[in-house]
Amino acid sequence: QAILALERANKMKSEFLANMSHELRTPLNAIIGFAEVLRDKIAGDLNEEQTDFVNDIHSSGCHLLQMINDILDLSKIEAGKMELQYGVFQVPEALEEVYTIIKGLANKKHLELKTVILTDVKNIEADRVKFKQVLYNLLSNAIKFTPENGKIVLEAGVMEDMLQVSVSDTGIGMKSEDQQKVFKEFWQADSSFARKYEGTGLGLALTKRILEMHGGKIWFESEYGKGTVFYFALPLKAPVKTTEPKEIKTKPRQA
């Protein structure tokens, strides 16, 4: 009974977070939208100080929306409400799309961002949006924890019908005692009171869940003060769904 009560409470928590996160996104998207209208001076000119304020509202809103989206996605997975939308797409194109989004963040810190895609990397059957989310999470994490003038390398290849991807950085790395907590929800690499690095601590936990839903896996190597390498492997083909044969009911013979 205690186990059943715990499972029910956990499910209710996940459903509450999913519903609440969804409700929070509506007004937050409005805030971001109006901030963009003001920033782009559609409603009239702003002075320099007002522009700074609007930019702060916009960037803070986007950051908060990202955190809410992470909570929403994790809650959906825990509540069993997330479904993968499989489709065939070109891996190099998806990598290029994420690279375009992420390079601005890297340039701000003067980081060298290198991509190595082997010639055998072509198509994959997976959820394209979730695949890009995994790449974004790993690359943005690498950028976040790498000091200025560092280096980040993304490599992709195919091995035994699996797409193999690695993201390496020259960042702060992780202490050996912290490495077992990496995929735990809400854990932070920098857990000090006055944290230097922002975030919910959900990115890697969410990344692991998404990859496992695809039948893939993730692992890493890290040396404190020198950097970290995250690896993940993903099947090139979607798992074949097996349908159980329906039970055929027969009417009893009448005497």
Side-chain angles (χ1 to χ4, degrees):
Q1 285 181 344
I3 292 170
L4 287 172
L6 188 63
E7 287 177 352
R8 184 171 177 273
N10 192 52
K11 188 177 180 182
M12 287 177 67
K13 176 211 73 175
S14 297
E15 288 178 354
F16 169 76
L17 285 173
N19 291 333
M20 184 55 67
S21 300
H22 180 74
E23 292 299 322
L24 285 170
R25 287 198 302 179
T26 303
L28 191 53
N29 278 318
I31 292 169
I32 292 169
F34 284 121
E36 287 174 353
V37 167
L38 292 170
R39 182 196 64 189
D40 297 340
K41 299 180 181 178
I42 295 170
D45 287 335
L46 301 175
N47 61 40
E48 189 176 340
E49 188 177 21
Q50 288 169 335
T51 302
D52 288 340
F53 290 156
V54 168
N55 285 331
D56 285 342
I57 292 169
H58 184 265
S59 61
S60 297
C62 289
H63 177 62
L64 185 56
L65 184 61
Q66 180 61 51
M67 291 194 293
I68 289 170
N69 285 337
D70 285 349
I71 293 170
L72 178 62
D73 283 347
L74 195 63
S75 301
K76 277 185 176 179
I77 292 172
E78 288 183 344
K81 291 183 177 179
M82 179 175 282
E83 294 183 4
L84 298 176
Q85 305 298 320
Y86 279 97
V88 178
F89 59 90
Q90 291 191 349
V91 174
E93 280 186 9
L95 292 174
E96 183 62 32
E97 287 171 12
V98 176
Y99 180 84
T100 301
I101 297 168
I102 217 82
K103 66 181 179 182
L105 297 173
N107 290 339
K108 282 182 181 178
K109 296 180 71 175
H110 309 290
L111 301 175
E112 181 185 349
L113 190 58
K114 187 179 178 183
T115 305
V116 180
I117 305 173
L118 301 182
T119 53
D120 57 356
V121 177
K122 294 175 184 176
N123 292 346
I124 190 171
E125 188 177 5
D127 186 317
R128 185 183 182 121
V129 173
K130 294 289 181 282
F131 177 76
K132 287 168 63 178
Q133 187 177 356
V134 164
L135 290 171
Y136 179 85
N137 283 347
L138 292 176
L139 285 166
S140 61
N141 246 25
I143 290 169
K144 185 196 300 185
F145 294 110
T146 301
E148 289 199 357
N149 303 309
K151 184 178 181 181
I152 295 165
V153 180
L154 183 148
E155 294 186 26
V158 174
M159 188 180 295
E160 297 177 357
D161 296 325
M162 300 279 282
L163 174 67
Q164 305 263 6
V165 179
S166 68
V167 177
S168 60
D169 64 59
T170 56
I172 61 173
M174 286 176 274
K175 297 176 182 176
S176 55
E177 62 266 26
D178 289 334
Q179 293 187 16
Q180 60 185 355
K181 307 171 189 172
V182 167
F183 298 112
K184 189 177 179 182
E185 290 90 344
F186 303 107
W187 180 78
Q188 297 279 6
D190 174 22
S191 56
S192 60
F193 180 76
R195 286 194 300 109
K196 182 180 177 182
Y197 307 99
E198 296 179 332
T200 56
L202 287 175
L204 289 174
L206 188 57
T207 297
K208 184 173 185 287
R209 300 285 190 95
I210 291 171
L211 289 169
E212 287 173 349
M213 286 178 73
H214 278 87
K217 60 180 180 177
I218 184 169
W219 67 101
F220 68 95
E221 297 171 359
S222 185
E223 189 173 351
Y224 184 63
K226 292 192 175 180
T228 303
V229 186
F230 275 94
Y231 306 89
F232 72 83
L234 210 57
L236 292 174
K237 298 287 183 183
V240 179
K241 289 184 178 180
T242 55
T243 54
E244 295 182 4
K246 293 181 179 179
E247 186 181 348
I248 301 173
K249 293 182 180 180
T250 56
K251 293 181 179 180
R253 286 185 181 181
Q254 292 182 351

